[in-house]
Amino acid sequence: MDHHLHALKDLLCSSVICVFCVAQAAKPRVTNPEPLRSWVRILCGTCPDRKSPSFAQDLQNYCSTAEWQQFFQNHVEPTMQQYELDTFGKSHDLMSNFWNSCFDDLMSTAQKRDKDRSDCKAKFQELIVDPYLKRVRTENSRYHVVQKMINGQQGMVWRHWKSLRRLLSSERGAWALRVQPEVRWKLSSAETYSKMRLKLVPNYNFDSHSDASALRDNMGADSPRSSTEPLPLAVAKEAKVSDMEDDKLEDEDFVFLEEAEEGEEESQKEKLVLSEECELITIVAVVPGRLEVTTHHLYFYDNSSEKEETEEGIGFDFKRSLSQLREVHLRRYNLRRSALELFFIDQAHYFINFRKGVRNKVYSRILGLRPPNLFYFGSRSPQELLKASNLTHRWIYREISNFEYLMQLNTIAGRTYNDLSQYPVFPWVLCDYTSAELDLEDQAVFRDLSKPIGVVNSRHAQNVREKYESFEDPTGTIDKFHYGTHYSNAAGVMHYMIRTEPFTSLHIQLQSGKFDCADRQFHSVAAAWQARMESPADVKELIPEFFYFPEFLQNLNNFDLGCLQMNQEMVNDVLLPPWASSREDFIRKHRKALECEYVSAHLHEWIDLIFGFKQRGPEAVEALNVFYYCTYEGAVDLDAIANETERKALEGIISNFGQTPCQLLKEPHPPRLSAENAFRRQARLDLLPPNLFDQLSKLRSFKEVVSDGLPLVQALVPRNQTRSIIIPGSDILVTVSANGMIGTHSWLPYDKSIANYFTFTRDPSVSNSKTQRFLSGPLSPGVEMGSQVLVVSSDGRLLFSGGHWDCSLRVTMLGKAKLVGRICRHIDVVTCLALDLCGIYLISGSRDTTCMVWQVLQQGGFSSGLSPRPVQVLCGHDQEVTCVALSTELDMALSGSKDGTVIMHSVRRGQYLRTLRPPCESCVPAPVAHLEVGMEGHIVAQTVMEGRTAGKEKYALHVYSVNGSLLASETLDEKISALHLVPDYLIVGTQQGNLHIRDLYSLNLAVAPLALKVPVRCVSVTKESSHILVGLEDGKLIVVGAGKPEEVRSGQFSRRLWGSTRRISQVSSGETEYNPVEPPGK
């Protein structure tokens, strides 16, 4: 306890000292110091008033007295407050300044630290993070590219495997399935020389579109039809162009061309000339890719992520030789002048779209390379192209047909099968679709071709005119027009072609995933015409398929097209007019109507409306032929619209309206000569030989002795011989005799100084044993020297031969009979050969049951040999292949065999397409002996049916369409020894010495058989169709011509043949008419 008291005492003493100090400091203000003294006395223990023994008690008692309380309040507290104010106030300011200074230093340090940290972070980001992330992105990108490439390769391998599996498991494959899946079909892109798309190919990605049918049925017949959205006027005004210029190249585009012409040097090394990003436009897809132009080839590389299976392989990649390029046309795509269309001599064509400003550069570079087979070189616009082509002159004088002329006009004016908004357009030519018979001599059955289809019904003319005159757009953007729809647009094409893929799928896409209502579909030809007559708003013209493609009228794939509301009949095949007995008959009669005299006399009026001077301007207004302004070429500049979304929307909207063709003529189109006047003109000018098949009633035959006593097994005039126009010359007529002797004779089909419209000069080497030329090597036993194993190249320079003992395919130079090639790829004897029409590919058939397709090599524009390896090896026959035929333009290789079947393969991929089995009376298949394919894909097969006894065989002819429909069959008692196919006719030579000319579609005799009395060994037709060349068993060459020959002029005259002057005594001019004598013993 004591130590606590001592501590308290010390504390109190300290307090007293403090109080004392305070009192001293506050002395001037203390008026009564007595309480303080008393307090000190208590602390010191000297207080006399102590009543308590404890100091603490005394202190506590004193502190509670009023005296001390009053003193404390009056003196101590104010003093203490003043002291605190004086002492701590100044200290607070000092401390505040100190802390402010510390805070400033802290913030400065923090900012510097943050800056250093930021700099370090940026440096770290720059040196560590960014390279790392870049590397990560690169690696991820590389990984994705590799993955994409691997997936693409796996997809491609899978597609190749599927294709190979289909081939092996097909009807004629090694793993043929017992039950073959049902084949569905789609339209091929292959075209004939007349620009007809005829062929159907298997559709391996077939969709029955049952969902589209269900959606249509759920929506009902009253559902609104998809229509074109109205144009945003502000956007349309921004894009409108007031001055329309022709689509042509400017002078600067030809600078490179002129430089190329000056400095061009032939180089064997292939060099890259140009590489540009582009799009390959097809009817079903827009394929991104890259076009590369080299000194020798054109390459397209498909850059699409997933490559689809196409007719040419997996993806759309292609490589084409510049030497095969035939035409290059400037094209529009989506109303931009940004595309080119390339045409090749095998009828392959590609529509390629470029970025703005690139097209003309590509065009000029291609022209600068001077492709040897390019037509219309240097033309700058469609108008100039038409003039340069001389097509109008040829049409006027009936050198080409109406169909050919219209197709060429469509092509020059920018119409193409590859773009539905610019599809070729053809006219309605008939107005009678209800009569039982079609009388083409009656003008009442024809449509008025001088009027647009919207006013062919004269009742509509006034309404259309009033609509035009009353229309006024307040914004001034939309010009006056007669029709708000167009005669040719994508919807119209799909309307007609709805039964044929890929148009079925495109139609469903346009209709938002469903079929259109059945009542609005194309279900009847008569109903379609009636719709044109009842409504001026329906102004659809026809498409080319109405004149050549019967399959588009048939629902081959059995699509559910719905039922008509009126009678609940199912829409299936198109209902034909009563005058058509079948689809083929309708197409044939419709084509005949297009070519008839009335249409020929008035077709120029329709051309004026579509391609000519009535397409635009005051003449179009007067003719009631003005359409919505944005359908006209050059009326809209989409690149003027800055907003990409608006531009894309307007692009899609405008393309649905359809596009008017380029205006080719700005003056009235001249009319066509009548057939009678054209014939009189030809007779008066006497420049060309008459077409033999136009005068079948006036056939006459003349003989030329080539190899007396030796059968003449081959005689033909090659089609594509190069002749000088400046220096008149003659063609080569190639003959081969049964002993292999080759003759290259001079042939001139027409000379008005010669009586029978031909001049033949016999090859002198044939009659001289020292100069005679022969095929090398013997033939295999059982193979007969004949036209089946002999083929002459299209330029007349090479002879390809088969049947040799060593199973080889040989190439002989005709001029010197020099063997220049010998290829052994077949494992048995080559039994047959055939060349395609354009001379690019050769096909061979063999006893080993295979066929091989070979490429004919070109050097300097001439045939030089065969590729060492075949392009395709085609299998499927069970026995020896006996005959082959080839159509490169239709991508079709045909082979006939002793197994009684004809197999069709594709040339580009070697894919199996179908098997034809000619009908036979017995259950045993009849071997196929001869095979021919026509320019429009007609297939003629000749079969041999064995009789009960030897020598009693029957011979049959069968005609099929390109898609395998049997059109006609005919049985003959005579043994057929030679066949040749020309448009509309089949020429047959027989062992009994008769020459038949039969109608191709019915196989009926077109004229009485021409009796030659000697077995026929070969038949061919000259390229002008002026003469038939017939090789006989006795070595004579029979030349069949038409017309009545004039009397031969007496005297001698000279003529330049093969660059030298020969006396007419050496020239046979057809004066020796063939009068056959019945062979003895018959």
Side-chain angles (χ1 to χ4, degrees):
M1 264 316 268
D2 291 338
H3 70 277
H4 291 293
L5 291 175
H6 287 298
L8 181 60
K9 187 176 182 179
D10 292 339
L11 176 62
L12 290 174
C13 289
S14 300
S15 300
V16 170
I17 293 171
C18 290
V19 170
F20 178 78
C21 292
V22 171
Q24 289 299 318
K27 188 174 182 179
R29 287 176 291 180
V30 178
T31 58
N32 186 12
E34 189 59 31
L36 184 61
R37 292 190 186 100
S38 298
W39 190 47
V40 170
R41 285 195 298 270
I42 291 172
L43 291 175
C44 299
T46 61
C47 180
D49 298 329
R50 291 183 59 184
K51 298 176 180 181
S52 172
S54 169
F55 165 77
Q57 187 66 40
D58 290 340
L59 180 61
Q60 185 177 8
N61 293 334
Y62 181 75
C63 288
S64 61
T65 64
E67 181 184 11
W68 175 254
Q69 293 291 335
Q70 184 179 5
F71 176 80
F72 187 84
Q73 292 175 357
N74 293 336
H75 299 285
V76 175
E77 280 188 353
T79 303
M80 182 181 65
Q81 290 174 355
Q82 184 63 38
Y83 177 82
E84 288 178 350
L85 180 64
D86 293 342
T87 304
F88 296 108
K90 185 177 180 179
S91 174
H92 179 75
D93 291 340
L94 291 174
M95 288 299 294
S96 177
N97 292 335
F98 172 75
W99 284 115
N100 285 339
S101 176
C102 290
F103 180 76
D104 291 342
D105 293 341
L106 178 65
M107 294 304 295
S108 175
T109 304
Q111 289 178 356
K112 183 178 180 182
R113 184 172 64 250
D114 290 343
K115 185 176 182 300
D116 292 342
R117 182 183 297 169
S118 177
D119 291 343
C120 291
K121 187 176 181 181
K123 202 72 173 176
F124 183 78
Q125 184 80 18
E126 179 184 357
L127 298 178
I128 305 297
V129 177
D130 286 349
Y132 169 76
L133 293 178
K134 183 178 179 181
R135 184 63 179 267
V136 168
R137 286 193 300 270
T138 302
E139 290 300 313
N140 285 338
S141 176
R142 193 167 68 89
Y143 172 78
H144 290 308
V145 168
V146 171
Q147 283 294 109
K148 187 177 179 180
M149 185 173 64
I150 291 173
N151 292 337
Q153 290 175 345
Q154 289 177 343
M156 187 172 294
V157 169
W158 172 244
R159 292 185 184 93
H160 277 296
W161 163 241
K162 285 175 65 179
S163 176
L164 182 59
R165 186 177 62 183
R166 277 198 310 267
L167 181 65
L168 293 171
S169 62
S170 66
E171 182 183 8
R172 307 308 294 269
W175 304 341
L177 301 174
R178 290 190 175 184
V179 179
Q180 289 290 321
E182 185 178 4
V183 180
R184 303 296 188 173
W185 304 95
K186 66 178 180 179
L187 185 62
S188 168
S189 61
E191 290 182 13
T192 68
Y193 285 98
S194 298
K195 299 187 182 299
M196 299 178 182
R197 287 192 171 186
L198 291 159
K199 193 179 75 166
L200 296 172
V201 294
N203 184 5
Y204 299 118
N205 298 313
F206 175 74
D207 183 355
S208 64
H209 299 299
S210 55
D211 293 341
S213 299
L215 281 172
R216 174 207 58 220
D217 297 335
N218 292 336
M219 293 295 291
D222 296 329
S223 60
R225 189 175 187 176
S226 62
S227 59
T228 304
E229 299 176 13
L231 288 173
L233 290 180
V235 178
K237 191 170 184 178
E238 185 181 357
K240 187 176 180 182
V241 177
S242 56
D243 297 326
M244 294 176 288
E245 299 178 353
D246 291 336
D247 188 9
K248 63 180 182 180
L249 300 185
E250 302 299 334
D251 292 336
E252 57 266 23
D253 296 315
F254 281 85
V255 171
F256 175 80
L257 178 58
E258 293 169 0
E259 293 174 353
E261 291 179 7
E262 293 174 1
E264 183 180 8
E265 292 184 0
E266 188 71 23
S267 175
Q268 296 298 323
K269 187 177 180 180
E270 187 171 18
K271 297 180 181 178
L272 181 65
V273 175
L274 184 73
S275 179
E276 290 289 347
E277 296 298 316
C278 61
E279 296 171 328
L280 179 67
I281 310 301
T282 70
I283 202 168
V284 295
V286 176
V287 184
R290 187 176 76 258
L291 179 72
E292 290 188 356
V293 181
T294 71
T295 52
H296 295 161
H297 293 90
L298 294 171
Y299 298 87
F300 176 79
Y301 299 99
D302 182 352
N303 291 339
S304 54
S305 56
E306 292 187 7
K307 296 186 178 182
E308 297 297 327
E309 184 174 358
T310 68
E311 292 179 53
E312 297 190 12
I314 306 300
F316 289 89
D317 307 83
F318 67 77
K319 171 187 175 183
R320 301 302 304 236
S321 172
L322 275 175
S323 63
Q324 295 183 8
L325 183 62
R326 181 168 56 88
E327 298 175 42
V328 182
H329 290 284
L330 303 174
R331 289 287 185 255
R332 295 178 296 171
Y333 180 64
N334 281 343
L335 302 177
R336 289 188 182 90
R337 293 168 174 174
S338 59
L340 293 176
E341 192 163 20
L342 311 175
F343 295 87
F344 294 84
I345 59 177
D346 63 350
Q347 290 305 106
H349 54 94
Y350 303 96
F351 190 93
I352 302 176
N353 185 50
F354 299 92
R355 300 189 307 274
K356 184 179 179 181
V358 174
R359 177 194 69 169
N360 291 356
K361 180 175 71 171
V362 176
Y363 182 76
S364 60
R365 292 292 178 92
I366 292 175
L367 292 186
L369 293 171
R370 305 299 296 269
N373 291 310
L374 187 65
F375 288 172
Y376 310 139
F377 180 78
S379 294
R380 298 189 177 189
S381 71
Q383 294 81 1
E384 294 175 355
L385 190 60
L386 178 62
K387 291 179 181 178
S389 67
N390 205 31
L391 282 167
T392 302
H393 179 274
R394 294 178 63 198
W395 176 76
I396 291 171
Y397 296 114
R398 291 182 174 260
E399 295 175 20
I400 59 175
S401 67
N402 291 340
F403 181 90
E404 291 172 318
Y405 187 51
L406 287 176
M407 279 305 305
Q408 292 295 341
L409 287 180
N410 273 283
T411 300
I412 294 173
R415 316 300 286 184
T416 171
Y417 286 118
N418 293 309
D419 187 357
L420 288 178
S421 64
Q422 300 184 88
Y423 210 76
V425 55
F426 268 62
W428 286 90
V429 295
L430 296 173
C431 64
D432 182 4
Y433 297 97
T434 57
S435 300
E437 296 292 335
L438 181 64
D439 183 7
L440 296 181
E441 299 297 325
D442 183 5
Q443 295 187 6
V445 305
F446 294 99
R447 164 245 178 125
D448 186 351
L449 289 166
S450 65
K451 298 178 181 178
I453 189 66
V455 292
V456 167
N457 186 342
S458 56
R459 292 180 301 175
H460 298 154
Q462 185 62 30
N463 293 335
V464 169
R465 186 178 288 106
E466 290 176 355
K467 174 186 173 182
Y468 177 86
E469 292 173 352
S470 63
F471 179 82
E472 196 68 44
D473 178 21
T475 67
T477 301
I478 303 176
D479 299 328
K480 291 185 176 183
F481 58 90
H482 291 115
Y483 313 101
T485 57
H486 203 259
Y487 52 78
S488 176
N489 54 31
V493 175
M494 290 181 277
H495 172 74
Y496 289 130
M497 297 291 290
I498 188 173
R499 291 162 178 79
T500 306
E501 286 285 16
F503 299 94
T504 312
S505 298
L506 295 172
H507 165 85
I508 291 170
Q509 290 177 20
L510 184 68
Q511 295 293 333
S512 303
K514 65 180 184 298
F515 280 109
D516 194 9
C517 168
D519 293 82
R520 289 194 291 256
Q521 291 177 4
F522 175 49
H523 64 274
S524 166
V525 179
W529 172 253
Q530 190 62 29
R532 310 297 179 274
M533 293 301 97
E534 291 178 353
S535 172
D538 193 346
V539 295
K540 288 191 289 289
E541 290 279 12
L542 297 184
I543 55 177
E545 283 80 357
F546 272 86
F547 300 93
Y548 66 77
F549 186 50
E551 283 78 9
F552 91 100
L553 301 167
Q554 181 182 6
N555 189 8
L556 277 172
N557 293 315
N558 297 319
F559 293 120
D560 178 5
L561 302 177
C563 297
L564 299 175
Q565 277 187 309
M566 183 176 294
N567 52 20
Q568 294 302 309
E569 287 186 3
M570 193 76 178
V571 175
N572 196 24
D573 297 343
V574 175
L575 299 179
L576 303 175
W579 45 258
S581 60
S582 65
R583 290 177 292 274
E584 291 78 13
D585 186 50
F586 170 80
I587 295 295
R588 197 174 305 123
K589 288 179 178 176
H590 208 217
R591 175 74 176 275
K592 189 176 180 180
L594 178 65
E595 304 296 343
C596 76
E597 195 63 36
Y598 177 87
V599 175
S600 295
H602 295 275
L603 188 57
H604 67 282
E605 298 172 339
W606 185 83
I607 293 172
D608 284 335
L609 294 169
I610 306 300
F611 304 102
F613 80 110
K614 291 184 180 180
Q615 185 194 96
R616 299 181 182 183
E619 292 83 2
V621 176
E622 182 66 24
L624 306 180
N625 193 41
V626 180
F627 294 85
Y628 198 72
Y629 81 96
C630 67
T631 67
Y632 290 94
E633 181 195 19
V636 175
D637 180 13
L638 291 174
D639 293 316
I641 303 174
N643 187 297
E644 183 178 356
T645 304
E646 292 180 347
R647 185 172 65 248
K648 290 285 186 183
L650 186 61
E651 185 178 289
I653 293 170
I654 292 177
S655 64
N656 287 334
F657 274 96
Q659 298 182 41
T660 301
C662 298
Q663 188 175 18
L664 300 180
L665 297 165
K666 296 185 178 180
E667 63 279 342
H669 191 289
R672 196 181 199 194
L673 289 183
S674 66
E676 183 179 355
N677 290 339
F679 181 78
R680 288 177 180 174
R681 174 182 177 273
Q682 181 176 331
R684 183 177 69 255
L685 296 177
D686 208 21
L687 295 175
L688 297 172
N691 188 314
L692 174 82
F693 300 98
D694 291 338
Q695 305 183 60
L696 291 177
S697 61
K698 300 178 181 179
L699 295 182
R700 298 179 71 98
S701 55
F702 300 85
K703 69 176 181 181
E704 303 294 342
V705 178
V706 175
S707 53
D708 198 11
L710 288 173
L712 195 62
V713 298
Q714 183 69 292
L716 60 86
V717 177
R719 297 181 59 87
N720 300 329
Q721 300 181 49
T722 54
R723 295 175 57 188
S724 172
I725 299 175
I726 301 174
I727 303 176
S730 54
D731 288 326
I732 296 174
L733 191 156
V734 180
T735 62
V736 181
S737 301
N739 63 346
M741 183 174 64
I742 300 172
T744 51
H745 315 276
S746 171
W747 166 263
L748 190 66
Y750 180 70
D751 186 344
K752 60 184 177 182
S753 63
I754 303 299
N756 199 48
Y757 301 99
F758 75 89
T759 304
F760 175 84
T761 305
R762 186 183 181 190
D763 184 354
S765 68
V766 173
S767 56
N768 188 339
S769 59
K770 294 182 179 180
T771 58
Q772 287 176 346
R773 293 162 293 167
F774 294 91
L775 281 175
S776 62
L779 298 186
S780 176
V783 177
E784 187 179 42
M785 178 75 73
S787 57
Q788 291 279 73
V789 292
L790 299 172
V791 167
V792 179
S793 64
S794 59
D795 58 4
R797 297 175 66 88
L798 301 177
L799 175 66
F800 306 105
S801 59
H804 299 284
W805 64 273
D806 57 356
C807 310
S808 64
L809 175 59
R810 301 191 181 187
V811 185
T812 303
M813 187 73 71
L814 274 173
K816 300 179 181 179
K818 179 182 178 182
L819 184 66
V820 295
R822 177 177 169 274
I823 304 173
C824 296
R825 289 286 177 176
H826 285 286
I827 60 175
D828 208 335
V829 176
V830 176
T831 55
C832 47
L833 298 173
L835 190 71
D836 68 346
L837 198 59
C838 49
I840 298 177
Y841 292 106
L842 176 82
I843 184 172
S844 60
S846 170
R847 287 177 182 168
D848 63 10
T849 74
T850 68
C851 299
M852 295 186 185
V853 179
W854 310 82
Q855 184 179 1
V856 179
L857 301 178
Q858 302 284 324
Q859 187 173 0
F862 299 103
S863 302
S864 60
L866 290 178
S867 55
R869 293 185 178 182
V871 177
Q872 301 292 349
V873 178
L874 311 176
C875 306
H877 286 293
D878 300 324
Q879 297 182 43
E880 170 185 335
V881 177
T882 55
C883 48
V884 287
L886 194 62
S887 176
T888 300
E889 62 274 16
L890 285 173
D891 191 25
M892 184 169 66
L894 298 163
S895 55
S897 168
K898 286 185 175 180
D899 61 16
T901 63
V902 176
I903 297 181
M904 183 188 299
H905 288 88
S906 65
V907 176
R908 295 185 180 97
R909 294 190 64 194
Q911 292 290 303
Y912 169 80
L913 297 178
R914 57 163 52 90
T915 295
L916 306 179
R917 291 180 170 82
C920 181
E921 295 177 357
S922 65
C923 58
V924 179
V928 181
H930 290 90
L931 202 56
E932 292 282 331
V933 60
M935 294 184 68
E936 293 186 11
H938 291 99
I939 302 164
V940 177
Q942 183 246 313
T943 58
V944 181
M945 295 175 285
E946 296 183 1
R948 294 183 178 180
T949 58
K952 296 294 183 179
E953 295 86 358
K954 288 187 177 181
Y955 305 90
L957 293 171
H958 310 279
V959 179
Y960 291 87
S961 73
V962 66
N963 295 312
S965 298
L966 181 63
L967 303 180
S969 293
E970 184 71 19
T971 301
L972 282 73
D973 293 328
E974 299 180 64
K975 181 180 180 181
I976 298 172
S977 55
L979 280 181
H980 189 81
L981 188 59
V982 295
D984 300 325
Y985 294 99
L986 176 66
I987 305 170
V988 182
T990 69
Q991 193 70 28
Q992 285 70 24
N994 291 320
L995 188 70
H996 299 249
I997 299 178
R998 295 178 174 271
D999 178 75
L1000 177 60
Y1001 308 105
S1002 64
L1003 291 179
N1004 295 329
L1005 284 169
V1007 67
L1010 194 63
L1012 303 178
K1013 304 298 184 182
V1014 179
V1016 175
R1017 294 298 301 271
C1018 64
V1019 173
S1020 68
V1021 176
T1022 58
K1023 56 187 179 182
E1024 301 89 357
S1025 297
S1026 58
H1027 298 85
I1028 301 174
L1029 305 178
V1030 185
L1032 300 183
E1033 186 78 27
D1034 60 2
K1036 293 185 180 66
L1037 172 66
I1038 304 301
V1039 181
V1040 180
K1044 185 178 180 180
E1046 297 177 355
E1047 196 172 314
V1048 180
R1049 300 175 184 178
S1050 58
Q1052 294 183 342
F1053 55 94
S1054 62
R1055 170 170 185 78
R1056 180 167 295 278
L1057 293 172
W1058 294 98
S1060 62
T1061 302
R1062 295 177 178 172
R1063 304 297 294 175
I1064 194 62
S1065 58
Q1066 296 176 329
V1067 177
S1068 168
S1069 57
E1071 66 272 17
T1072 308
E1073 189 165 355
Y1074 182 58
N1075 295 309
V1077 180
E1078 191 76 24
K1082 287 197 176 185

